[in-house]
Amino acid sequence: MSKKHPIVAVTGSSGAGTTTVKRAFEHIFHRENINPLVIEGDSYHRFDRAAMKEQMAREDERGNKFFSHFGEDANHFDKLAETFESYSKTGACPRRYYLHSDEEAVEHNARLGTDLTPGQFTPWEDIKDKTDLLFYEGLHGLAKTDNNDVAQHVDLGVGVVPIVNLEWIQKIFRDNAERGYDAEVIVDTILRRMPDYVKCITPQFSRTDVNFQRVSTVDTSNPFIARDIPTPDESFIVIRFRKPLEFGVDFPHLLNMINGSFMSRPNTIVVPGGKMGFAMELILEPKIQRMLEAKKG
């Protein structure tokens, strides 16, 4: 951790709602005139898209049916920990991008003079520009294993995790609509990831400073036959603070500002699903302000 070069990590599995958190932080950064260094979790995968398919086939041949992007063997936890440590000490670190789309490939090829395609990584670049904080969004911002401890370097950890059946519904619809995967392939992916989900993903949410968990108010008991994704108005957001006093949360203020909110436990407030982004900004902006004030001091 570093007061001079703070690190904010938003962690959550794909489709969990991390995009909403990222947008909330963008609003905060704009209002507070904060210049962040943005790091994407996908850039720390060990394999690009083609190499991952080849590696999965090799693992299948060895009898390992659970090799996935969620696990340590498929990611550079060591490099992520080194990146965080470097930034916390110096305010500088290396960065690369994983190219998700043709648009991203065009953008970075023009910038770098490369000929990369979606599914590949850009070269590592040393980022030495002066920034106010490092902002990470991805799968493993608070990962901790016997070999690597990413979480030790994080100053503010934010978890984004829907209840698991809702997460599966979101994945099923996204993979079918955006990637054309059929139900059998999607279910196979969910099963393949489950051991790493339990081992590498869920423990992070006990290390975060605050969690935003979406809970639906409609029946999601069988996610594999769901006809649609529950809407925000059909959901609540359960917001849990690990150490409310240390975080500096003002519960009476939040209850007054967020219509329909209530407290379910001394460290937990529940807000309507449609208020998720608003609640995030109310909660996270004062925390960011205090972090940067401590940096100046």
Side-chain angles (χ1 to χ4, degrees), residues 121-276:
F121 299 107
T122 64
W124 289 101
E125 304 171 71
D126 288 326
I127 307 300
K128 298 180 180 179
D129 297 338
K130 185 177 180 181
T131 52
D132 297 308
L133 55 80
L134 184 150
F135 177 79
Y136 167 97
E137 186 266 321
L139 286 170
H140 300 111
L142 288 105
K144 184 177 181 180
T145 68
D146 292 339
N147 303 312
N148 298 286
D149 186 352
V150 178
Q152 66 177 316
H153 304 293
V154 175
D155 298 276
L156 173 60
V158 180
V160 190
V161 52
I163 57 173
V164 68
N165 280 16
L166 178 55
E167 183 172 348
W168 289 350
I169 290 173
Q170 292 178 158
K171 176 170 178 55
I172 290 166
F173 273 78
R174 186 201 63 188
D175 284 1
N176 178 263
E178 296 181 8
R179 302 175 183 177
Y181 295 170
D182 60 32
E184 184 177 349
V185 172
I186 298 169
V187 172
D188 178 71
T189 300
I190 290 172
L191 293 174
R192 176 183 291 273
R193 290 176 171 181
M194 189 52 62
D196 285 332
Y197 184 87
V198 173
K199 182 180 179 181
C200 295
I201 303 298
T202 57
Q204 296 180 96
F205 302 119
S206 295
R207 304 181 193 118
T208 49
D209 297 291
V210 57
N211 282 337
F212 296 84
Q213 183 177 40
R214 186 178 170 200
V215 179
S216 63
T217 56
V218 295
D219 183 14
T220 61
S221 53
N222 186 350
F224 305 108
I225 64 169
R227 294 184 177 181
D228 49 35
I229 300 173
T231 66
D233 288 337
E234 296 173 326
S235 310
F236 281 105
I237 308 301
V238 179
I239 306 170
R240 191 271 302 172
F241 298 87
R242 184 163 57 94
K243 297 179 179 180
L245 291 178
E246 190 174 298
F247 192 95
V249 59
D250 185 344
F251 285 116
H253 175 67
L254 294 177
L255 292 169
N256 183 59
M257 291 292 293
I258 305 172
N259 188 37
S261 63
F262 61 92
M263 292 187 67
S264 59
R265 288 191 174 182
N267 67 339
T268 304
I269 186 170
V270 182
V271 306
K275 299 291 186 180
M276 182 176 178

